Amino acid sequence: MQDYFTSRGFAPDNRLVGNINGGVLVFRPSLVADAFKEYYYSGHTQGGHTAYEEAPMAYYAQTHNMFYALDDRYNKMLPFESGREEFSWIYNIHHNRLYMIADKLITKIFHKRNAIVTGKHVRFVTALISEGAYMVHMSGGFYSMAAAKRLMKDLGYEGQN
């Protein structure tokens, strides 16, 4: 966690134990407005990443004792889970030369970056759910609703929202 924050220009702090996912972000603007103002008009950087609200909010909340982490079963993020040794095969697919070429091509065509869903992704999500995950997301999106619907169907959730 320290590297995540220091790479974005924040001072190290022992209270930094996690990050905030913007999709699960709830806060009172009057409490954090000054922190965001300082962040945006400072020399902080995202290190090439987007999601500009996550780093300052996570840092501010944790260093001001306002951070209450959810059980990670409610917010399983595939990129983080794919780093686990038992799931190295899904990590490897994203670093496969053909996958990377297809990803770049599709990104160029659609002007946005989302996940290409494969059968391995379906097996990966199924394994996380069997471990007890309640919510799993790709930290991005799908190239089409058809791909998302296929994933839901393959997981046995067809027709559910």
Side-chain angles (χ1 to χ4, degrees):
M1 272 301 105
Q2 295 294 328
D3 289 345
Y4 173 86
F5 291 102
T6 57
S7 71
R8 289 162 171 82
F10 292 98
D13 193 300
N14 290 334
R15 294 172 289 186
L16 300 171
V17 297
N19 193 11
I20 291 177
N21 182 310
V24 190
L25 185 62
V26 179
F27 60 90
R28 191 173 306 151
S30 62
L31 294 177
V32 298
D34 288 339
F36 278 95
K37 182 178 177 182
E38 186 278 326
Y39 179 76
Y40 290 125
Y41 293 105
S42 72
H44 288 106
T45 176
Q46 285 292 311
H49 300 287
T50 57
Y52 298 102
E53 77 285 356
E54 293 175 354
M57 189 61 218
Y59 189 85
Y60 182 84
Q62 290 176 76
T63 59
H64 288 82
N65 298 317
M66 299 168 67
F67 183 79
Y68 306 99
L70 289 173
D71 185 311
D72 73 353
R73 294 176 299 164
Y74 296 103
N75 193 26
K76 287 282 186 192
M77 294 177 65
L78 296 189
F80 295 123
E81 297 301 317
S82 68
R84 291 170 37 190
E85 187 175 328
E86 66 269 33
F87 294 128
S88 61
W89 49 272
I90 195 73
Y91 176 84
N92 291 337
I93 195 173
H94 289 265
H95 294 84
N96 173 284
R97 185 179 173 143
L98 290 176
Y99 184 95
M100 291 169 69
I101 290 169
D103 185 50
K104 285 181 183 178
L105 180 63
I106 292 173
T107 299
K108 187 174 182 177
I109 292 168
F110 293 104
H111 305 289
K112 64 181 185 175
R113 217 156 167 240
N114 288 316
I116 300 171
V117 179
T118 68
K120 287 187 176 188
H121 288 96
V122 172
R123 289 190 294 280
F124 181 39
V125 172
T126 302
L128 292 172
I129 290 171
S130 70
E131 282 185 358
Y134 293 108
M135 298 174 74
V136 180
H137 66 93
M138 295 212 155
S139 186
F142 299 99
Y143 280 110
S144 69
M145 283 306 296
K149 287 179 181 178
R150 186 184 90 215
L151 179 62
M152 294 300 286
K153 179 181 178 187
D154 290 349
L155 291 171
Y157 293 102
E158 188 172 27
Q160 298 180 30
N161 291 328

